[in-house]
Amino acid sequence: MEKLFNRFASATAKITGRPWTFIACLLLVLVWAATGPLFGFSETWQLVINTGTTIITFLMVFLIQSTQNRDAAAMHAKMDELIYAVRKADARFIGIEHLTDKELAVILNEVEQRALAIHAGKPARAITGKPAARAEEIEAEQPPKARAKRPVSKAGA
């Protein structure tokens, strides 16, 4: 059921984001407006467009939000992997989307201050605070005996 919904939401978002879909909707509204004199601009005539647009908007919100949530999650996973893969990158940035707004604001402020300094011609500097340790770094710091006793995972075998 979830895969079917995801495919439907993605296809709907793709279709509704195209210029021809907008033009078709615009033409529909123009046809509705042109029929106003025919129906005497009645309340029923107005109710047709109001009800139709409300229902479509209500349903589209959920479809688009679903698509955006999946896209954002995929983007976070990709960015986290890139941060992890780049040795000089600060691993503290991995998973920052799970921080509180206050914690995120502190990091954002530091990044913005660094960007302003760079644009002012100053050399780039690391974000303040102790960088997060990577698994390889922690393992390398272990005594040789501790590394030898570590169980081998099936993925690494």
Side-chain angles (χ1 to χ4, degrees):
M1 179 70 173
E2 188 175 344
K3 282 188 177 188
L4 180 64
F5 176 76
N6 287 344
R7 274 192 248 127
F8 177 72
S10 295
T12 303
K14 191 178 282 187
I15 291 168
T16 57
R18 298 190 185 256
W20 289 111
T21 307
F22 173 79
I23 292 169
C25 290
L26 180 63
L27 288 174
L28 185 64
V29 170
L30 291 175
V31 167
W32 168 81
T35 62
L38 181 66
F39 293 104
F41 299 100
S42 68
E43 286 186 24
T44 303
W45 173 80
Q46 293 176 34
L47 193 60
V48 166
I49 197 75
N50 290 339
T51 304
T53 56
T54 301
I55 291 170
I56 290 169
T57 301
F58 177 75
L59 295 174
M60 287 301 295
V61 164
F62 296 104
L63 292 175
I64 292 170
Q65 189 62 51
S66 171
T67 302
Q68 286 181 336
N69 288 347
R70 267 193 334 282
D71 288 349
M75 188 65 68
H76 288 298
K78 291 173 184 179
M79 294 300 295
D80 288 349
E81 179 61 20
L82 288 172
I83 291 168
Y84 180 77
V86 175
R87 283 267 170 227
K88 285 191 156 199
D90 189 341
R92 289 178 297 165
F93 282 87
I94 295 175
I96 65 171
E97 67 273 11
H98 301 293
L99 298 177
T100 66
D101 288 344
K102 199 178 229 181
E103 293 167 327
L104 199 51
V106 169
I107 292 172
L108 181 59
N109 184 45
E110 290 182 34
V111 170
E112 288 174 350
Q113 292 303 316
R114 179 172 56 184
L116 290 173
I118 291 169
H119 289 293
K122 297 178 183 171
R125 61 168 178 75
I127 301 296
T128 58
K130 183 180 178 193
R134 297 174 184 274
E136 295 88 1
E137 294 167 356
I138 294 170
E139 187 175 306
E141 292 172 2
Q142 299 296 316
K145 285 184 179 179
R147 279 186 269 164
K149 290 181 181 178
R150 200 176 114 246
V152 177
S153 68
K154 289 183 182 182

